[in-house]
Amino acid sequence: MFRPDGGASRLTWRLLHDLIVGLPGESLTKTAMRDGLSEEELAALASQPHKGHGPWSRVDLRLAAIEDAQRQQTAVMIWLAGNRKGDPKMPEPVTRPGVTGRRRGRQLSAADKEYLAHLRANRGALPDGMKFIAAS
């Protein structure tokens, strides 16, 4: 191990422990550790509560996005093949660490709904008295 200032740091037992614990679950070291456990030890580890959320890599996030898209596509295809009453029932997205349930947008006020209805009815034309301000 090397420090940024060029000096060598000592590998302590604490640092070694932290490095091993920080390895991904599919690493050779973690796999070898799991393979060395008995069935009872594995069952005891599985029954312990999970502490925190591990970080997801970009690959994990992309795979979750692909799974979400595939499940949505399947839901739409089932809806298209069925009786098509109402909107298709979309599945919940894959649970990601630190994210709880679907995000709900803010509730629109009556004035907001009236403004949107005017835009739709008038092909995007602003109501009287309002003017477009370009962003700088």
Side-chain angles (χ1 to χ4, degrees):
M1 306 280 307
F2 294 97
R3 295 191 316 235
D5 61 4
S9 63
R10 291 186 32 194
L11 180 63
T12 62
W13 287 109
R14 170 73 184 231
L15 179 59
L16 179 61
H17 173 266
D18 291 345
L19 290 172
I20 292 172
V21 168
L23 288 172
E26 67 274 5
S27 69
L28 292 174
T29 303
K30 290 269 183 109
T31 302
M33 289 169 64
R34 275 192 311 275
D35 288 348
L37 297 174
S38 68
E39 294 294 324
E40 294 80 23
E41 291 171 322
L42 279 174
L45 283 175
S47 67
Q48 292 178 357
H50 181 69
K51 293 183 261 178
H53 300 288
W56 277 27
S57 68
R58 289 183 184 266
V59 173
D60 294 330
L61 292 171
R62 286 182 178 171
L63 285 173
I66 290 169
E67 183 177 346
D68 286 343
Q70 181 64 45
R71 291 168 65 196
Q72 290 172 354
Q73 182 181 16
T74 301
V76 169
M77 294 303 290
I78 290 170
W79 179 76
L80 287 172
N83 56 14
R84 298 185 191 187
K85 291 182 182 174
D87 292 330
K89 181 165 174 30
M90 300 309 263
E92 288 289 325
V94 172
T95 304
R96 286 148 171 95
V99 179
T100 57
R102 287 190 179 198
R103 286 189 288 182
R104 290 187 173 83
R106 71 177 183 95
Q107 296 296 319
L108 296 177
S109 68
D112 293 338
K113 291 178 183 177
E114 183 180 320
Y115 173 75
L116 290 174
H118 180 344
L119 290 178
R120 288 186 189 108
N122 296 290
R123 297 185 178 186
L126 292 174
D128 292 334
M130 295 188 88
K131 62 180 182 178
F132 179 75
I133 300 173
S136 55

